[in-house]
Amino acid sequence: MTIADRWLLPDGMDEVLPPQASRMEELRRTLLDLYYVWGYDQVMPPPVEFLDSLLTGTGTELDLQTFKLTDQLTGRMMGASADVTPQVARMDAHSLRRQGPVRLCYCTNVLRAKADQHQGGRSPVQVGVELFGHAGLEADSEIIKLALSSLAAAGATEVHLALGHIGIFRALVEAAALVKDQEAAIFDALALKSPGELARRVGEHVTDPALADMFLALGELHGDAAILYEARERLAGAPASVAAALDQLETLNRTVLAQFDVSLYFDLAELRGYQYHTGMMFAAYVPGYGHALAKGGRYDDTGRAFGRARPATGFSMDLKQLATLAAAAPTPGLIWAPSTDDESLQTAIDALRQQGERVIQALPGQRSEPAEHDCDRRLEFIDGRWQTTALTQETSA
């Protein structure tokens, strides 16, 4: 190993430097303030938990994303949080135990064993909201509106919102009485977006011709809102819950377009998060980014494993990605103060800092020039008092 290799970061891990770190902090405050005025209370989950709590009810995917370590105090296995949502669900079900709807928000670092192909690297700063205790579409609508408001606050334009409903596929699976392996085979074919593979898998596992046609239709039902009307025709013989899911998507289409200028896209074969979601799902995209900047949906009964099943809906984003949507606003340069124990100078420096100015005071023996520290002004003793003057090439020497 060379000396240079010692400072290499692991793949997928990154550091945030100025001015992007300041942009992230500014955006974090903006988003948490936004959630606050919508009535969401902030929580701060722990960075690690015992595995039997952290992974309860989350499925295989999160297990594979979780870094595992041994607690030196108890000998029990712990995991670093790879997704905050299950932790917040535990808080609602086990720690808070409030009655009625509960609105929670968070912004915290998470750690993933491998890079998330849909949402960045292995060390995102996850920000999001969760709404527990209400099963109605009104809660889903609120979550989507808040996600779009978050993107707008981050500077996103030309947002494309993709909507789906996991309940449609689940209802067809139940109607066809598919066992786990058969369900997984058709699921994989839909995920591949391959009509030929889907036709082969459906032909192997679905005996009812009408249901087979419906599974094949799922692979073709994607596009604008007109797709929802086509879906009603092609899925006319499906269980009643399918029509109810289409009703929900139509309502969300009207609700979103009434308030936001976004492009809506529907995909009834989008099954991302299948082990996790139970109803409406969405993902928000912005031109120039190959993955969703916000994603979420309904995930009812996650708290059941903690002894309290609750309806739940929410979304999450990576603050690092959001912070790249718009450049940080230009900030005034710093003020350079000379190295001296003059009491009047300290008074002047304190007054400027209380006004929000950034002041750097030179240290004894310091050789770097004011301009090297992004200073554009300096304090000078003029006419018996310390005054701020513009920093020029002549005065910086």
Side-chain angles (χ1 to χ4, degrees):
M1 176 184 293
T2 67
I3 293 177
D5 289 339
R6 297 177 186 174
W7 318 125
L8 291 178
L9 293 172
D11 287 344
M13 302 294 178
D14 55 355
E15 56 194 5
V16 184
L17 304 175
Q20 196 65 7
S22 295
R23 166 63 180 156
M24 284 180 59
E25 176 59 18
E26 174 190 11
L27 184 56
R28 182 191 71 85
R29 295 174 184 176
T30 297
L31 293 176
L32 290 178
D33 286 346
L34 172 66
Y35 305 152
Y36 180 79
V37 299
W38 279 60
Y40 286 76
D41 295 321
Q42 185 180 357
V43 293
M44 296 181 180
V48 296
E49 294 191 32
F50 290 124
L51 279 182
D52 50 7
S53 170
L54 187 66
L55 300 180
T56 295
T58 60
T60 306
E61 185 175 342
L62 190 59
D63 187 7
L64 295 175
Q65 281 281 37
T66 301
F67 276 104
K68 301 174 178 68
L69 60 155
T70 302
D71 180 14
Q72 299 298 314
L73 295 179
T74 65
R76 295 172 61 184
M77 290 299 297
M78 300 193 302
S81 174
D83 184 0
V84 179
T85 302
Q87 294 181 283
V88 180
R90 174 185 55 75
M91 290 179 174
D92 171 71
H94 181 69
S95 303
L96 294 174
R97 300 193 64 83
R98 296 175 183 170
Q99 298 302 314
V102 171
R103 293 171 170 87
L104 301 175
C105 66
Y106 55 84
C107 184
T108 189
N109 293 81
V110 296
L111 189 63
R112 292 173 180 159
K114 54 184 179 179
D116 183 341
Q117 61 177 325
H118 303 299
Q119 207 166 359
R122 300 165 71 194
S123 59
V125 179
Q126 189 175 344
V127 58
V129 304
E130 317 295 339
L131 200 167
F132 301 97
H134 192 277
L137 194 61
E138 297 81 1
D140 294 319
S141 178
E142 179 175 314
I143 286 297
I144 292 177
K145 290 178 180 178
L146 194 47
L148 293 174
S149 297
S150 299
L151 290 173
T157 57
E158 299 182 57
V159 175
H160 299 262
L161 184 66
L163 280 167
H165 200 296
I166 208 78
I168 296 174
F169 178 71
R170 290 188 190 278
L172 295 182
V173 167
E174 184 176 351
L178 299 181
V179 299
K180 288 291 185 183
D181 289 347
Q182 295 170 333
E183 176 184 356
I186 296 177
F187 174 92
D188 291 342
L190 284 169
L192 288 172
K193 308 291 185 184
S194 169
E197 184 65 13
L198 178 60
R200 186 179 72 81
R201 299 283 180 90
V202 169
E204 290 176 353
H205 302 304
V206 182
T207 57
D208 185 312
L211 284 172
D213 287 344
M214 293 181 203
F215 276 110
L216 294 177
L218 285 185
E220 302 171 3
L221 291 171
H222 51 84
D224 61 20
I227 284 296
L228 300 180
Y229 299 101
E230 181 182 344
R232 289 194 182 279
E233 296 180 359
R234 301 186 67 177
L235 304 177
S241 60
V242 171
L246 293 173
D247 288 342
Q248 291 181 8
L249 292 177
E250 287 183 5
T251 300
L252 289 173
N253 178 58
R254 293 192 300 270
T255 301
V256 170
L257 291 180
Q259 188 171 345
F260 295 92
D261 181 18
V262 298
S263 298
L264 277 167
Y265 179 86
F266 297 87
D267 187 351
L268 303 191
E270 177 53 65
L271 303 176
R272 187 180 304 164
Y274 181 63
Q275 293 180 316
Y276 186 70
H277 288 294
T278 59
M280 175 280 302
M281 304 180 302
F282 70 90
Y285 298 86
V286 173
Y289 292 81
H291 52 267
L293 290 185
K295 58 182 180 179
R298 181 160 288 279
Y299 58 101
D300 292 341
D301 296 342
T302 299
R304 183 184 302 278
F306 302 106
R308 192 174 182 231
R310 296 258 283 172
T313 183
F315 73 89
S316 65
M317 306 172 292
D318 180 1
L319 189 66
K320 290 180 181 178
Q321 293 290 326
L322 290 181
T324 64
L325 283 169
T331 56
L334 284 72
I335 299 173
W336 180 266
S339 173
T340 175
D341 293 332
D342 188 316
E343 195 170 307
S344 62
L345 174 60
Q346 297 305 316
T347 300
I349 291 173
D350 291 343
L352 287 168
R353 287 172 175 165
Q354 288 173 9
Q355 296 168 21
E357 294 280 8
R358 300 180 67 195
V359 183
I360 289 181
Q361 185 170 18
L363 298 171
Q366 183 170 340
R367 295 186 178 182
S368 54
E369 298 294 335
E372 297 177 48
H373 300 273
D374 297 323
C375 294
D376 62 4
R377 290 158 293 164
R378 70 186 308 154
L379 275 169
E380 293 188 279
F381 195 71
I382 302 173
D383 296 332
R385 62 189 181 92
W386 289 99
Q387 300 183 45
T388 303
T389 62
L391 184 68
T392 65
Q393 284 297 116
E394 291 78 16
T395 59
S396 65

